[in-house]
Amino acid sequence: MTYAVCAAAGQAAQYARGRLIPEVRLRNGTVLHDVTVVAVGATTIVARWEGGKGSILLTQLPDEMRTDLAPAVVKSPVAAAPAPGVTPAPVDPKLATAELPTEIKLTNGFVMHKSSVTRWDTNAVLISYQGGIVSVRLKNISPEQRAIFEARKDEALARQAKEDADSSVGQSAASQDEKARQAADDAAREAAEKKAEEISNGLSFHYLVKGMTKKQVIQAYGRPPDDSGDTFFYVLRGHDKYGNAADRMLVFRDGLLASWRDQREGEPNGAVDH
């Protein structure tokens, strides 16, 4: 049973813009999971969902979801007929590409000088002007300028939603990278602490631990006849694979103990590598 079918009338708020919707079944049969509506236009919404993002026609949404997001839109996909004797005002296509005014006039006569829109909403815009930053409802803008805002709104909302989605993805990726770096740092620190403890025990109980410095090896195991190179040689300090006493040769890399081999002279088949 889908989320849309299960939602009761009193739960319409669960379809609010910005809220995670577990599942939405569109009228064409497509089922979207983990849906978040980021913008609502006159005919479409812009949303993110599991595995994708994009625009969805309002007419494809479940009735209760469309009513909650865009209550002014009729539920039937058939457009309402104009009232008798009323001719719809033609929409000038040039308005969709017209420049937004920088001297915004309000219906109360106030003029907002040096204005620019910093954020769009369905019924309002956030405007930065000489007096500060304020939210202005579209209905409060003078009719001749309001027509430009209405014509530009859907495109602006779609672009804004895409920018928000890209920003969210970028922030999520950055957060994941930071978590990965933190996990790597924690693992490296834990490994270093464990190695330090192993070396400390080796020094206390006089046995070899890989990662010891030459000085620590000498402290734990004694000084070899020659300690000037990258190999230390100890006579009969090891055991071959048969349990016989064998010479032990230590190898250092970058000043740290990397490995050692126990082998009797002339019997490589019995050698034991550590």
Side-chain angles (χ1 to χ4, degrees):
M1 184 176 296
T2 67
Y3 178 88
V5 173
C6 292
Q11 295 176 313
Q14 295 187 21
Y15 292 115
R17 181 162 61 93
R19 176 170 293 182
L20 181 66
I21 305 170
E23 182 177 294
V24 173
R25 184 179 295 275
L26 303 181
R27 290 183 175 275
N28 62 7
T30 301
V31 179
L32 304 177
H33 299 281
D34 296 336
V35 180
T36 302
V37 177
V38 296
V40 180
T43 59
T44 63
I45 64 168
V46 178
R48 298 191 302 269
W49 57 85
E50 182 180 316
K53 59 184 178 181
S55 299
I56 303 173
L57 289 172
L58 289 171
T59 53
Q60 284 292 328
L61 300 178
D63 286 346
E64 60 271 31
M65 183 175 181
R66 185 168 70 254
T67 300
D68 185 38
L69 293 173
V73 179
V74 295
K75 293 184 179 181
S76 170
V78 179
V86 176
T87 303
V91 177
D92 186 350
K94 294 181 180 179
L95 292 179
T97 57
E99 292 291 333
L100 293 174
T102 57
E103 301 291 303
I104 298 177
K105 302 174 184 177
L106 304 184
T107 53
N108 63 3
F110 183 77
V111 178
M112 306 175 72
H113 298 289
K114 297 183 179 180
S115 301
S116 62
V117 176
T118 61
R119 187 77 183 175
W120 290 79
D121 206 341
T122 307
N123 300 309
V125 284
L126 190 65
I127 295 176
S128 173
Y129 77 114
Q130 278 185 331
I133 300 177
V134 295
S135 179
V136 177
R137 297 183 67 83
L138 295 179
K139 69 178 184 180
N140 293 331
I141 299 175
S142 62
E144 65 276 10
Q145 292 185 345
R146 186 192 313 148
I148 300 175
F149 282 89
E150 291 286 2
R152 294 285 304 274
K153 181 174 65 175
D154 284 352
E155 181 271 336
L157 285 171
R159 183 180 65 252
Q160 179 176 279
K162 183 179 184 303
E163 292 171 353
D164 289 349
D166 291 343
S167 175
S168 176
V169 170
Q171 291 174 1
S172 177
S175 176
Q176 290 176 357
D177 289 344
E178 179 59 29
K179 288 180 180 178
R181 283 193 295 269
Q182 186 62 49
D185 290 345
D186 292 344
R189 183 171 58 255
E190 187 175 328
E193 291 173 352
K194 182 178 179 181
K195 177 60 68 175
E197 183 179 359
E198 291 176 354
I199 291 175
S200 177
N201 290 335
L203 293 173
S204 297
F205 299 103
H206 304 289
Y207 62 82
L208 298 174
V209 177
K210 292 179 182 178
M212 280 181 166
T213 64
K214 292 179 180 180
K215 182 177 180 181
Q216 289 170 331
V217 168
I218 293 172
Q219 182 181 344
Y221 216 58
R223 186 177 296 276
D226 183 0
D227 60 4
S228 60
D230 285 333
T231 59
F232 283 4
F233 189 80
Y234 293 92
V235 177
L236 300 178
R237 292 292 299 275
H239 292 85
D240 66 10
K241 68 179 181 180
Y242 304 113
N244 300 314
D247 296 333
R248 175 164 289 183
M249 184 176 67
L250 282 59
V251 178
F252 292 86
R253 291 194 185 91
D254 299 325
L256 301 178
L257 180 59
S259 64
W260 60 90
R261 164 175 276 211
D262 294 346
Q263 179 184 335
R264 287 193 296 168
E265 184 178 356
E267 295 188 16
N269 290 337
V272 177
D273 290 310
H274 298 272

